[in-house]
CSV table of all heavy atoms in Angstrom, one decimal:
chain,number,residue,atom,x,y,z
A,682,THR,N,-4.2,29.7,-14.5
A,682,THR,CA,-3.1,30.6,-14.6
A,682,THR,C,-3.2,31.8,-13.6
A,682,THR,O,-2.3,32.6,-13.5
A,682,THR,CB,-3.0,31.2,-16.0
A,682,THR,OG1,-4.2,31.8,-16.4
A,682,THR,CG2,-2.6,30.1,-16.9
A,683,SER,N,-4.3,31.9,-12.8
A,683,SER,CA,-4.4,32.9,-11.8
A,683,SER,C,-3.6,32.6,-10.5
A,683,SER,O,-3.4,33.4,-9.6
A,683,SER,CB,-5.8,33.3,-11.5
A,683,SER,OG,-6.4,32.1,-10.8
A,684,ILE,N,-3.2,31.3,-10.4
A,684,ILE,CA,-2.4,30.8,-9.3
A,684,ILE,C,-0.9,30.8,-9.6
A,684,ILE,O,-0.5,30.1,-10.5
A,684,ILE,CB,-2.9,29.4,-8.9
A,684,ILE,CG1,-4.4,29.4,-8.5
A,684,ILE,CG2,-2.1,28.8,-7.7
A,684,ILE,CD1,-5.0,28.1,-8.2
A,685,SER,N,-0.2,31.5,-8.8
A,685,SER,CA,1.2,31.6,-8.9
A,685,SER,C,1.9,30.4,-8.2
A,685,SER,O,1.5,30.2,-7.0
A,685,SER,CB,1.8,32.9,-8.4
A,685,SER,OG,3.2,32.9,-8.3
A,686,CYS,N,2.8,29.7,-8.8
A,686,CYS,CA,3.5,28.6,-8.1
A,686,CYS,C,4.5,29.1,-7.1
A,686,CYS,O,5.2,28.3,-6.5
A,686,CYS,CB,4.1,27.7,-9.2
A,686,CYS,SG,2.9,26.9,-10.2
A,687,GLN,N,4.7,30.4,-7.1
A,687,GLN,CA,5.7,30.9,-6.1
A,687,GLN,C,5.0,31.6,-4.9
A,687,GLN,O,5.7,32.2,-4.1
A,687,GLN,CB,6.6,31.9,-6.9
A,687,GLN,CG,7.4,31.3,-7.9
A,687,GLN,CD,8.0,32.2,-8.9
A,687,GLN,OE1,7.4,33.2,-9.2
A,687,GLN,NE2,9.1,31.9,-9.5
A,688,SER,N,3.7,31.5,-4.8
A,688,SER,CA,3.0,32.1,-3.7
A,688,SER,C,3.1,31.3,-2.5
A,688,SER,O,3.3,30.1,-2.5
A,688,SER,CB,1.5,32.4,-4.1
A,688,SER,OG,0.9,31.1,-4.2
A,689,ASN,N,2.9,31.9,-1.3
A,689,ASN,CA,3.0,31.1,-0.1
A,689,ASN,C,1.8,30.1,0.0
A,689,ASN,O,2.1,29.0,0.5
A,689,ASN,CB,2.9,32.1,1.1
A,689,ASN,CG,4.1,32.9,1.3
A,689,ASN,OD1,5.2,32.4,0.9
A,689,ASN,ND2,4.1,34.0,2.0
A,690,SER,N,0.7,30.4,-0.4
A,690,SER,CA,-0.5,29.5,-0.3
A,690,SER,C,-0.2,28.3,-1.2
A,690,SER,O,-0.6,27.1,-0.8
A,690,SER,CB,-1.8,30.2,-0.7
A,690,SER,OG,-1.7,30.6,-2.1
A,691,PHE,N,0.4,28.5,-2.4
A,691,PHE,CA,0.7,27.3,-3.2
A,691,PHE,C,1.8,26.4,-2.6
A,691,PHE,O,1.7,25.2,-2.6
A,691,PHE,CB,1.2,27.7,-4.6
A,691,PHE,CG,1.4,26.6,-5.5
A,691,PHE,CD1,0.4,25.9,-6.1
A,691,PHE,CD2,2.7,26.2,-5.8
A,691,PHE,CE1,0.6,24.8,-7.0
A,691,PHE,CE2,3.0,25.1,-6.6
A,691,PHE,CZ,1.9,24.4,-7.2
A,692,GLU,N,2.8,27.0,-2.0
A,692,GLU,CA,3.8,26.3,-1.3
A,692,GLU,C,3.3,25.5,-0.1
A,692,GLU,O,3.7,24.4,0.2
A,692,GLU,CB,5.0,27.2,-0.9
A,692,GLU,CG,5.8,27.7,-2.0
A,692,GLU,CD,6.9,28.7,-1.6
A,692,GLU,OE1,7.1,28.9,-0.4
A,692,GLU,OE2,7.6,29.2,-2.5
A,693,GLN,N,2.3,26.1,0.6
A,693,GLN,CA,1.7,25.4,1.7
A,693,GLN,C,0.9,24.2,1.2
A,693,GLN,O,0.8,23.1,1.8
A,693,GLN,CB,0.8,26.3,2.5
A,693,GLN,CG,1.6,27.4,3.3
A,693,GLN,CD,0.7,28.4,4.0
A,693,GLN,OE1,-0.5,28.4,3.7
A,693,GLN,NE2,1.2,29.2,4.8
A,694,PHE,N,0.2,24.4,0.1
A,694,PHE,CA,-0.6,23.4,-0.5
A,694,PHE,C,0.3,22.2,-0.9
A,694,PHE,O,0.0,21.0,-0.7
A,694,PHE,CB,-1.3,23.9,-1.8
A,694,PHE,CG,-1.9,22.8,-2.6
A,694,PHE,CD1,-3.1,22.1,-2.2
A,694,PHE,CD2,-1.3,22.4,-3.8
A,694,PHE,CE1,-3.6,21.1,-2.9
A,694,PHE,CE2,-1.8,21.3,-4.5
A,694,PHE,CZ,-3.0,20.7,-4.1
A,695,VAL,N,1.5,22.5,-1.5
A,695,VAL,CA,2.4,21.5,-2.0
A,695,VAL,C,2.9,20.7,-0.7
A,695,VAL,O,3.0,19.4,-0.8
A,695,VAL,CB,3.6,22.1,-2.8
A,695,VAL,CG1,4.7,21.1,-3.0
A,695,VAL,CG2,3.1,22.6,-4.1
A,696,LEU,N,3.2,21.4,0.3
A,696,LEU,CA,3.7,20.7,1.6
A,696,LEU,C,2.6,19.8,2.1
A,696,LEU,O,2.8,18.6,2.4
A,696,LEU,CB,4.1,21.7,2.6
A,696,LEU,CG,4.5,21.2,4.0
A,696,LEU,CD1,5.8,20.3,3.8
A,696,LEU,CD2,4.7,22.3,5.0
A,697,LEU,N,1.4,20.3,2.2
A,697,LEU,CA,0.3,19.5,2.8
A,697,LEU,C,0.0,18.3,1.9
A,697,LEU,O,-0.2,17.2,2.3
A,697,LEU,CB,-1.0,20.4,2.9
A,697,LEU,CG,-2.2,19.7,3.6
A,697,LEU,CD1,-1.8,19.3,5.0
A,697,LEU,CD2,-3.4,20.7,3.6
A,698,ASP,N,0.0,18.5,0.6
A,698,ASP,CA,-0.3,17.5,-0.4
A,698,ASP,C,0.8,16.4,-0.3
A,698,ASP,O,0.5,15.2,-0.4
A,698,ASP,CB,-0.4,18.0,-1.8
A,698,ASP,CG,-1.0,17.1,-2.8
A,698,ASP,OD1,-1.9,16.3,-2.4
A,698,ASP,OD2,-0.5,17.0,-3.9
A,699,SER,N,2.0,16.8,-0.1
A,699,SER,CA,3.1,15.9,0.0
A,699,SER,C,3.0,15.0,1.3
A,699,SER,O,3.3,13.8,1.2
A,699,SER,CB,4.5,16.6,0.1
A,699,SER,OG,4.7,17.3,-1.1
A,700,LEU,N,2.5,15.6,2.3
A,700,LEU,CA,2.3,14.8,3.6
A,700,LEU,C,1.1,13.8,3.4
A,700,LEU,O,1.3,12.7,3.8
A,700,LEU,CB,1.9,15.8,4.7
A,700,LEU,CG,3.0,16.7,5.2
A,700,LEU,CD1,2.5,17.7,6.2
A,700,LEU,CD2,4.1,15.8,5.8
A,701,PHE,N,0.1,14.2,2.7
A,701,PHE,CA,-1.0,13.2,2.4
A,701,PHE,C,-0.5,12.1,1.5
A,701,PHE,O,-0.9,10.9,1.7
A,701,PHE,CB,-2.2,14.0,1.7
A,701,PHE,CG,-3.1,14.7,2.7
A,701,PHE,CD1,-3.4,16.0,2.5
A,701,PHE,CD2,-3.6,14.1,3.8
A,701,PHE,CE1,-4.2,16.7,3.4
A,701,PHE,CE2,-4.4,14.8,4.7
A,701,PHE,CZ,-4.7,16.1,4.5
A,702,ILE,N,0.3,12.4,0.5
A,702,ILE,CA,0.8,11.4,-0.4
A,702,ILE,C,1.7,10.4,0.4
A,702,ILE,O,1.6,9.2,0.2
A,702,ILE,CB,1.5,12.0,-1.6
A,702,ILE,CG1,0.5,12.7,-2.5
A,702,ILE,CG2,2.3,10.9,-2.3
A,702,ILE,CD1,1.1,13.5,-3.6
A,703,ALA,N,2.6,11.0,1.3
A,703,ALA,CA,3.4,10.1,2.1
A,703,ALA,C,2.6,9.2,3.0
A,703,ALA,O,2.9,8.0,3.2
A,703,ALA,CB,4.4,11.0,2.9
A,704,PHE,N,1.6,9.7,3.6
A,704,PHE,CA,0.7,8.9,4.5
A,704,PHE,C,0.0,7.8,3.7
A,704,PHE,O,0.0,6.7,4.1
A,704,PHE,CB,-0.3,9.8,5.2
A,704,PHE,CG,-1.3,9.0,6.0
A,704,PHE,CD1,-0.9,8.5,7.2
A,704,PHE,CD2,-2.6,8.8,5.5
A,704,PHE,CE1,-1.8,7.8,8.0
A,704,PHE,CE2,-3.5,8.1,6.3
A,704,PHE,CZ,-3.1,7.6,7.5
A,705,TYR,N,-0.5,8.2,2.5
A,705,TYR,CA,-1.2,7.2,1.6
A,705,TYR,C,-0.2,6.1,1.2
A,705,TYR,O,-0.6,4.9,1.2
A,705,TYR,CB,-1.8,7.9,0.4
A,705,TYR,CG,-2.7,7.1,-0.4
A,705,TYR,CD1,-3.9,6.6,0.2
A,705,TYR,CD2,-2.5,6.8,-1.7
A,705,TYR,CE1,-4.8,5.8,-0.5
A,705,TYR,CE2,-3.4,6.0,-2.4
A,705,TYR,CZ,-4.5,5.5,-1.8
A,705,TYR,OH,-5.4,4.8,-2.5
A,706,LEU,N,1.0,6.4,0.9
A,706,LEU,CA,2.0,5.4,0.5
A,706,LEU,C,2.4,4.5,1.7
A,706,LEU,O,2.8,3.4,1.5
A,706,LEU,CB,3.2,6.0,-0.1
A,706,LEU,CG,3.1,6.5,-1.5
A,706,LEU,CD1,4.3,7.3,-2.0
A,706,LEU,CD2,2.9,5.3,-2.5
A,707,SER,N,2.3,5.1,2.9
A,707,SER,CA,2.8,4.4,4.1
A,707,SER,C,1.8,3.2,4.4
A,707,SER,O,2.2,2.3,5.1
A,707,SER,CB,3.0,5.3,5.2
A,707,SER,OG,1.7,5.8,5.7
A,708,ILE,N,0.6,3.3,4.0
A,708,ILE,CA,-0.4,2.3,4.4
A,708,ILE,C,0.0,0.9,3.9
A,708,ILE,O,0.1,0.0,4.7
A,708,ILE,CB,-1.8,2.7,4.0
A,708,ILE,CG1,-2.3,3.9,4.8
A,708,ILE,CG2,-2.8,1.6,4.1
A,708,ILE,CD1,-3.6,4.6,4.3
A,709,PRO,N,0.2,0.7,2.5
A,709,PRO,CA,0.6,-0.6,2.1
A,709,PRO,C,2.0,-1.0,2.6
A,709,PRO,O,2.2,-2.2,2.9
A,709,PRO,CB,0.6,-0.5,0.6
A,709,PRO,CG,0.5,0.9,0.2
A,709,PRO,CD,0.0,1.6,1.4
A,710,LEU,N,2.8,-0.1,2.9
A,710,LEU,CA,4.1,-0.4,3.5
A,710,LEU,C,4.0,-0.9,4.9
A,710,LEU,O,4.7,-1.8,5.4
A,710,LEU,CB,5.1,0.8,3.4
A,710,LEU,CG,5.5,1.2,2.0
A,710,LEU,CD1,6.3,2.5,2.1
A,710,LEU,CD2,6.1,0.2,1.2
A,711,PHE,N,3.0,-0.3,5.6
A,711,PHE,CA,2.7,-0.8,7.0
A,711,PHE,C,2.1,-2.2,6.9
A,711,PHE,O,2.4,-3.0,7.8
A,711,PHE,CB,1.8,0.2,7.7
A,711,PHE,CG,1.5,-0.1,9.1
A,711,PHE,CD1,2.5,-0.1,10.0
A,711,PHE,CD2,0.2,-0.5,9.5
A,711,PHE,CE1,2.3,-0.5,11.4
A,711,PHE,CE2,0.0,-0.8,10.8
A,711,PHE,CZ,1.0,-0.8,11.8
A,712,TRP,N,1.3,-2.5,5.9
A,712,TRP,CA,0.7,-3.8,5.7
A,712,TRP,C,1.8,-4.8,5.6
A,712,TRP,O,1.8,-5.9,6.1
A,712,TRP,CB,-0.2,-3.9,4.5
A,712,TRP,CG,-1.5,-3.2,4.7
A,712,TRP,CD1,-2.1,-2.6,5.8
A,712,TRP,CD2,-2.4,-2.9,3.7
A,712,TRP,NE1,-3.3,-2.1,5.6
A,712,TRP,CE2,-3.5,-2.2,4.3
A,712,TRP,CE3,-2.5,-3.2,2.3
A,712,TRP,CZ2,-4.6,-1.8,3.5
A,712,TRP,CZ3,-3.6,-2.8,1.6
A,712,TRP,CH2,-4.6,-2.1,2.2
A,713,VAL,N,2.8,-4.5,4.7
A,713,VAL,CA,4.0,-5.4,4.5
A,713,VAL,C,4.7,-5.7,5.8
A,713,VAL,O,5.0,-6.8,6.1
A,713,VAL,CB,4.9,-4.8,3.5
A,713,VAL,CG1,6.2,-5.6,3.4
A,713,VAL,CG2,4.3,-4.8,2.1
A,714,TYR,N,4.9,-4.6,6.6
A,714,TYR,CA,5.5,-4.8,7.9
A,714,TYR,C,4.7,-5.7,8.8
A,714,TYR,O,5.3,-6.6,9.4
A,714,TYR,CB,5.7,-3.4,8.6
A,714,TYR,CG,6.1,-3.5,10.0
A,714,TYR,CD1,7.3,-3.9,10.4
A,714,TYR,CD2,5.1,-3.2,11.0
A,714,TYR,CE1,7.7,-4.0,11.8
A,714,TYR,CE2,5.5,-3.3,12.4
A,714,TYR,CZ,6.7,-3.7,12.7
A,714,TYR,OH,7.1,-3.8,14.1
A,715,LEU,N,3.4,-5.5,8.9
A,715,LEU,CA,2.5,-6.4,9.7
A,715,LEU,C,2.6,-7.8,9.3
A,715,LEU,O,2.6,-8.7,10.1
A,715,LEU,CB,1.1,-5.8,9.8
A,715,LEU,CG,0.9,-4.5,10.5
A,715,LEU,CD1,-0.6,-4.1,10.3
A,715,LEU,CD2,1.2,-4.6,12.0
A,716,LEU,N,2.5,-8.0,8.0
A,716,LEU,CA,2.5,-9.4,7.4
A,716,LEU,C,3.8,-10.0,7.6
A,716,LEU,O,3.9,-11.2,7.8
A,716,LEU,CB,2.1,-9.4,6.0
A,716,LEU,CG,0.6,-9.0,5.7
A,716,LEU,CD1,0.4,-8.8,4.2
A,716,LEU,CD2,-0.3,-10.1,6.2
A,717,TYR,N,4.9,-9.3,7.4
A,717,TYR,CA,6.2,-9.8,7.6
A,717,TYR,C,6.5,-10.3,9.0
A,717,TYR,O,7.1,-11.3,9.2
A,717,TYR,CB,7.3,-8.7,7.2
A,717,TYR,CG,8.7,-9.3,7.2
A,717,TYR,CD1,9.2,-10.0,6.1
A,717,TYR,CD2,9.5,-9.0,8.3
A,717,TYR,CE1,10.4,-10.5,6.1
A,717,TYR,CE2,10.8,-9.5,8.3
A,717,TYR,CZ,11.3,-10.3,7.2
A,717,TYR,OH,12.6,-10.7,7.2
A,718,ARG,N,5.9,-9.6,10.0
A,718,ARG,CA,6.0,-10.1,11.4
A,718,ARG,C,5.4,-11.4,11.6
A,718,ARG,O,5.9,-12.2,12.5
A,718,ARG,CB,5.4,-9.0,12.3
A,718,ARG,CG,6.2,-7.8,12.5
A,718,ARG,CD,5.6,-6.8,13.4
A,718,ARG,NE,5.1,-7.4,14.6
A,718,ARG,CZ,4.1,-6.9,15.3
A,718,ARG,NH1,3.5,-5.8,15.0
A,718,ARG,NH2,3.7,-7.6,16.4
A,719,VAL,N,4.4,-11.8,10.9
A,719,VAL,CA,3.7,-13.1,11.1
A,719,VAL,C,3.9,-14.0,9.9
A,719,VAL,O,3.1,-15.0,9.8
A,719,VAL,CB,2.2,-12.9,11.4
A,719,VAL,CG1,2.0,-12.2,12.7
A,719,VAL,CG2,1.5,-12.2,10.3
A,720,ARG,N,4.9,-13.8,9.2
A,720,ARG,CA,5.2,-14.6,7.9
A,720,ARG,C,5.3,-16.1,8.2
A,720,ARG,O,4.9,-16.9,7.4
A,720,ARG,CB,6.4,-14.1,7.2
A,720,ARG,CG,7.7,-14.3,7.9
A,720,ARG,CD,8.8,-13.6,7.1
A,720,ARG,NE,10.1,-13.8,7.8
A,720,ARG,CZ,10.5,-13.1,8.9
A,720,ARG,NH1,9.7,-12.2,9.4
A,720,ARG,NH2,11.6,-13.3,9.5
A,721,ASP,N,5.8,-16.5,9.4
A,721,ASP,CA,6.0,-17.9,9.7
A,721,ASP,C,4.7,-18.5,10.0
A,721,ASP,O,4.5,-19.8,9.8
A,721,ASP,CB,6.9,-18.0,11.0
A,721,ASP,CG,8.3,-17.6,10.7
A,721,ASP,OD1,8.7,-17.7,9.5
A,721,ASP,OD2,9.0,-17.2,11.6
A,722,HIS,N,3.7,-17.8,10.4
A,722,HIS,CA,2.3,-18.3,10.5
A,722,HIS,C,1.6,-18.4,9.2
A,722,HIS,O,0.7,-19.3,9.0
A,722,HIS,CB,1.5,-17.5,11.5
A,722,HIS,CG,2.0,-17.5,12.9
A,722,HIS,ND1,1.8,-18.5,13.8
A,722,HIS,CD2,2.9,-16.6,13.5
A,722,HIS,CE1,2.4,-18.3,14.9
A,722,HIS,NE2,3.1,-17.1,14.8
A,723,LEU,N,1.9,-17.4,8.3
A,723,LEU,CA,1.2,-17.4,7.0
A,723,LEU,C,1.7,-18.4,6.0
A,723,LEU,O,1.0,-18.9,5.2
A,723,LEU,CB,1.3,-16.0,6.5
A,723,LEU,CG,0.6,-14.9,7.3
A,723,LEU,CD1,1.0,-13.5,6.7
A,723,LEU,CD2,-0.9,-15.1,7.3
A,724,ASN,N,3.0,-18.6,6.1
A,724,ASN,CA,3.6,-19.5,5.1
A,724,ASN,C,4.7,-20.4,5.8
A,724,ASN,O,5.9,-20.2,5.5
A,724,ASN,CB,4.2,-18.7,3.9
A,724,ASN,CG,4.7,-19.6,2.8
A,724,ASN,OD1,4.2,-20.7,2.6
A,724,ASN,ND2,5.6,-19.0,2.0
A,725,PRO,N,4.3,-21.3,6.7
A,725,PRO,CA,5.2,-22.1,7.4
A,725,PRO,C,6.0,-23.1,6.4
A,725,PRO,O,5.4,-23.6,5.5
A,725,PRO,CB,4.4,-22.8,8.4
A,725,PRO,CG,3.0,-22.8,7.9
A,725,PRO,CD,2.9,-21.6,7.0
A,726,VAL,N,7.2,-23.3,6.7
A,726,VAL,CA,8.0,-24.1,5.9
A,726,VAL,C,7.7,-25.6,6.0
A,726,VAL,O,7.7,-26.3,5.1
A,726,VAL,CB,9.5,-23.9,6.2
A,726,VAL,CG1,10.4,-24.8,5.4
A,726,VAL,CG2,9.9,-22.5,6.0
A,727,GLU,N,7.3,-26.0,7.3
A,727,GLU,CA,7.0,-27.4,7.5
A,727,GLU,C,5.7,-27.9,6.9
A,727,GLU,O,5.5,-29.1,6.8
A,727,GLU,CB,7.1,-27.7,9.0
A,727,GLU,CG,6.0,-27.1,9.8
A,727,GLU,CD,6.3,-25.7,10.3
A,727,GLU,OE1,7.4,-25.2,10.0
A,727,GLU,OE2,5.5,-25.1,11.0
A,728,VAL,N,4.8,-27.1,6.6
A,728,VAL,CA,3.5,-27.5,6.0
A,728,VAL,C,3.6,-27.5,4.5
A,728,VAL,O,3.8,-26.4,3.9
A,728,VAL,CB,2.4,-26.6,6.5
A,728,VAL,CG1,1.1,-27.1,5.9
A,728,VAL,CG2,2.3,-26.6,8.0
Side-chain angles (χ1 to χ4, degrees):
T682 55
S683 68
I684 299 175
S685 171
C686 294
Q687 296 163 329
S688 68
N689 286 337
S690 61
F691 183 76
E692 288 177 5
Q693 290 173 352
F694 169 76
V695 169
L696 176 65
L697 186 63
D698 195 39
S699 299
L700 291 173
F701 281 128
I702 290 170
F704 176 75
Y705 191 62
L706 283 172
S707 70
I708 293 170
L710 296 176
F711 185 64
W712 288 350
V713 168
Y714 167 73
L715 291 176
L716 291 170
Y717 186 79
R718 285 181 42 205
V719 293
R720 69 188 178 282
D721 294 333
H722 296 276
L723 294 172
N724 190 22
V726 179
E727 66 273 0
V728 179

